[in-house]
Amino acid sequence: MLLSTDGGRNLSLESILMGLPMSDPSAWATAMNNLGMAPMGMTGQPLLPDFDPALGMMTGIPPINPMMPGLGIVPPPIPPDMPAVKEIIHCKSCTLFPPNPHLPPPATRERPPGCKTVFVGGLPENGTEQIIMEVFEQCGEVIAIRKSKKNFCHIRFAEEFMVDKALYLSGYRIRLGSSTDKKDTGRLHVDFAQARDDLYEWECKQRMLAREERHRRRLAEERFRPPSPPPVVHYSDHECSVVAEKLKDDTKFSEAIQTLLTWIERGEVNRRTANNFYSMIQSANSHIRRLVNEKAAHEKEMEEAKEKFKLALSGILVQFEQIVAVYHSASKQKAWDHFTKAQRKNISVWCKQAEEIRNIHNDELMGIRREEEMEMSDEEIEDPSEMKETEESALVSQVEALKEENDSLRWQLDAYRNEVELLKQEQGKASRDEDTTKEQQMKLLQQALQGMQKHLLKVQEEYKKREAELEKVKEDKLKVETLLENLKEQVCTMQVFLVQSLDFVAAVPAGCCLVPMTFVLFLSSGIISTFLHVHPFGASIEYICSYLQRLDSKICTAEVEVLMTRLQNTFRQELSGVGASLEKRWKFCGFDGLKMT
């Protein structure tokens, strides 16, 4: 008898018997008990007298299985490369045998939200609700069991995690007692079931979580919301006197004026309180004077700050001019030759930076002065009474500005002189190299002149080509005009001929059907042109006359040929073939002039 203990090992009874010492009967009994066999010695005597063979266990010792209290129904996580091994589960009225571990796991449907109900199929026919309760109550608290007559049932648990424990039993083979009858055996199939009660409870839980989330957000918003302003007291004589005192205090004016505004908007003004409100409004008006004085003080402070800023800026500019003068004097030949190349480079870079910063500050100072001049001009326009004072101040400021400009120009002139001296020195050095550079320049100029001459020759050639093309276009235009005139003349002659022929037809008596042959031939010219237009390779005169004679048998071949020779701009005769197969063919050429255009 072979028993499978794991996926890859088979242990025989002889190997177990040989591996255990007979001197230790308790170890022998434990091994035999774990195999579900009666503990027997080598002589066949039972080692334990209280062994119950019906249960395959010792009486009084409960079996160890995942359903025992304190042991989870779901085993610990198994590595993915090892197959899951399920054990036998013993109950009071039945036994559950695990499925083959090499088979794939049983299929399950998608888990509904908030699922607490499972479907159990494959129950024994003799299975009762008590047996089902005995098996599944170890997974958790069972609320309800709905059993069907067709060997399946629905079990609803108290919590969602109990459903996962119940799914562990899917695939187990159940046997009632020790019977082997088909009605007492079955293979369990456990799957998720969709129930209205589960969905309703899940929706209620989700709504509760949403309410909690909204409550948390509301608390967070209220925590960051600015506090509401304090409520405004109702009007009374005492409060009126308090507000009137606050209106006279600069520190409490904002609060008092808000209270006064609220009272007026509420409609507290009447005949009895009109005098009180007028006094408060008068106090508010007197506060305007205080505000104007305060504004004037701030403007005076601002003007003083501007003057300080201008003086500081002008001093900075003077220092910048002095620094730039130092750089320029250091750039002169007397001192410049004694510096190294790196020192010269640093001095030139510093000089450029200082000049840029000086120019920026100078522009800023000039902008401030322009703004002051514009403000002064606006004040002159607005206040003509103060013209004399502003003129004097303007003259003083202009004199100061001119002095500063004179100083800056003098510094700039010194800088330009230094630059001129440097250029003269550079020119003196460059005069030595002029002889060599002049030849190179002459060569470059000669090459440039040669390139220009070639370019001019190309332009002249293109000009001649364009003139030839224009002459060709003019000639084509003249040809087209002549063709159009010929076509117009032909159309006019055809119209005249048509009018004469129509008059002739109208003059013929009613009973007479005589029509001149020339009119018939003229009408047939349109049919011939249509016929030849359909035949682009031409047709012989006999083929054309055979087609026309179907319409009128009186038409003669000679007359048709004479008519076609007259209309040279419409029909053209060509020879085709060689030797004996030489043939005259007529072609339609009425549209050739239009194609050329």
Side-chain angles (χ1 to χ4, degrees), residues 244 247-248 250 253 257 260 277-293:
L247 286 171
K248 297 175 184 178
D250 292 340
F253 179 79
I257 199 71
L260 177 61
F277 276 100
Y278 179 77
S279 64
M280 287 189 287
I281 292 169
Q282 191 175 5
S283 299
N285 186 32
S286 64
H287 188 71
I288 294 173
R289 299 173 187 172
R290 296 197 295 271
L291 293 175
V292 170
N293 294 330

Side-chain angles (χ1 to χ4, degrees), residues 305-473:
K306 280 185 178 180
E307 289 295 330
K308 290 180 181 179
F309 177 71
K310 279 198 309 183
L311 290 172
L313 191 59
S314 60
I316 290 168
L317 282 172
V318 170
Q319 294 177 9
F320 268 118
E321 293 291 344
Q322 292 173 354
I323 293 167
V324 172
V326 169
Y327 288 144
H328 286 304
S329 62
S331 300
K332 293 179 180 180
Q333 189 176 3
K334 293 179 180 180
W336 189 255
D337 294 338
H338 298 287
F339 293 116
T340 62
K341 189 179 289 185
Q343 291 172 351
R344 292 174 186 173
K345 185 176 180 182
N346 291 332
I347 290 169
S348 60
V349 171
W350 294 339
C351 182
K352 288 180 182 178
Q353 291 177 355
E355 287 177 351
E356 289 177 359
I357 297 168
R358 179 197 64 188
N359 294 332
I360 291 168
H361 286 290
N362 196 6
D363 293 339
E364 188 175 357
L365 184 62
M366 295 302 292
I368 293 169
R369 288 171 183 167
R370 282 195 292 271
E371 289 178 359
E372 288 179 353
E373 290 174 0
M374 290 174 66
E375 289 176 359
M376 289 168 63
S377 62
D378 293 337
E379 288 175 358
E380 288 175 0
I381 294 167
E382 292 175 358
D383 301 326
S385 61
E386 300 178 357
M387 288 284 288
K388 295 180 180 179
E389 295 179 359
T390 54
E391 283 178 0
E392 291 177 359
S393 61
L395 288 171
V396 172
S397 62
Q398 285 178 3
V399 168
E400 292 178 355
L402 288 171
K403 286 180 180 178
E404 292 177 357
E405 287 180 2
N406 189 14
D407 294 335
S408 63
L409 289 171
R410 189 172 67 248
W411 291 111
Q412 288 179 6
L413 183 61
D414 292 338
Y416 289 145
R417 285 175 182 171
N418 294 329
E419 289 179 0
V420 168
E421 289 179 358
L422 290 172
L423 288 172
K424 287 179 178 178
Q425 292 173 4
E426 290 177 357
Q427 286 177 359
K429 292 179 182 179
S431 61
R432 301 170 186 174
D433 302 331
E434 283 182 357
D435 296 334
T436 56
T437 55
K438 280 182 179 180
E439 293 179 358
Q440 294 177 357
Q441 290 177 358
M442 288 294 291
K443 289 180 180 178
L444 293 172
L445 289 171
Q446 288 176 358
Q447 292 176 0
L449 288 171
Q450 289 176 0
M452 291 292 290
Q453 288 176 357
K454 291 179 180 178
H455 184 68
L456 286 171
L457 292 172
K458 289 180 181 179
V459 170
Q460 288 177 357
E461 290 177 358
E462 289 181 357
Y463 180 71
K464 290 178 180 178
K465 289 180 181 178
R466 295 290 173 85
E467 284 184 348
E469 290 177 358
L470 284 172
E471 289 178 357
K472 288 181 181 179
V473 169

Side-chain angles (χ1 to χ4, degrees), residues 156-370:
R156 190 163 189 264
F157 293 97
E159 299 294 337
E160 294 183 20
F161 69 90
M162 300 175 183
V163 174
D164 299 325
K165 293 185 176 182
L167 288 175
Y168 179 75
L169 299 176
S170 183
Y172 270 78
R173 188 166 53 84
I174 184 171
R175 187 179 67 186
L176 302 181
S178 59
S179 175
T180 57
D181 191 4
K182 289 184 178 180
K183 295 183 178 181
D184 295 333
T185 60
R187 188 175 295 277
L188 297 179
H189 174 69
V190 186
D191 198 356
F192 299 109
Q194 191 169 4
R196 286 194 296 264
D197 296 339
D198 298 343
L199 183 61
Y200 176 73
E201 290 182 2
W202 181 78
E203 289 176 350
C204 291
K205 188 176 180 181
Q206 295 298 318
R207 284 195 290 270
M208 182 181 68
L209 293 173
R211 284 196 298 272
E212 292 177 356
E213 181 64 23
R214 287 197 298 272
H215 181 65
R216 282 195 295 272
R217 289 181 182 176
R218 195 179 300 112
L219 290 176
E221 290 175 359
E222 288 177 357
R223 188 162 54 250
F224 293 106
R225 188 180 299 163
S228 58
V232 179
V233 296
H234 292 282
Y235 176 80
S236 63
D237 293 336
H238 173 70
E239 295 294 337
C240 178
S241 61
V242 172
V243 170
E245 292 295 329
K246 288 182 179 179
L247 286 171
K248 297 175 184 178
D249 190 358
D250 292 340
T251 58
K252 300 178 181 179
F253 179 79
S254 299
E255 180 183 356
I257 199 71
Q258 187 65 33
T259 305
L260 177 61
L261 176 63
T262 305
W263 284 349
I264 294 171
E265 289 178 351
R266 284 180 182 173
E268 300 288 348
V269 182
N270 51 34
R271 289 184 178 179
R272 186 177 65 83
T273 61
N275 292 329
N276 295 332
F277 276 100
Y278 179 77
S279 64
M280 287 189 287
I281 292 169
Q282 191 175 5
S283 299
N285 186 32
S286 64
H287 188 71
I288 294 173
R289 299 173 187 172
R290 296 197 295 271
L291 293 175
V292 170
N293 294 330
E294 187 177 355
K295 182 188 174 186
H298 287 305
E299 286 179 350
K300 187 176 180 181
E301 290 178 0
M302 187 177 68
E303 292 294 333
E304 291 176 356
K306 280 185 178 180
E307 289 295 330
K308 290 180 181 179
F309 177 71
K310 279 198 309 183
L311 290 172
L313 191 59
S314 60
I316 290 168
L317 282 172
V318 170
Q319 294 177 9
F320 268 118
E321 293 291 344
Q322 292 173 354
I323 293 167
V324 172
V326 169
Y327 288 144
H328 286 304
S329 62
S331 300
K332 293 179 180 180
Q333 189 176 3
K334 293 179 180 180
W336 189 255
D337 294 338
H338 298 287
F339 293 116
T340 62
K341 189 179 289 185
Q343 291 172 351
R344 292 174 186 173
K345 185 176 180 182
N346 291 332
I347 290 169
S348 60
V349 171
W350 294 339
C351 182
K352 288 180 182 178
Q353 291 177 355
E355 287 177 351
E356 289 177 359
I357 297 168
R358 179 197 64 188
N359 294 332
I360 291 168
H361 286 290
N362 196 6
D363 293 339
E364 188 175 357
L365 184 62
M366 295 302 292
I368 293 169
R369 288 171 183 167
R370 282 195 292 271

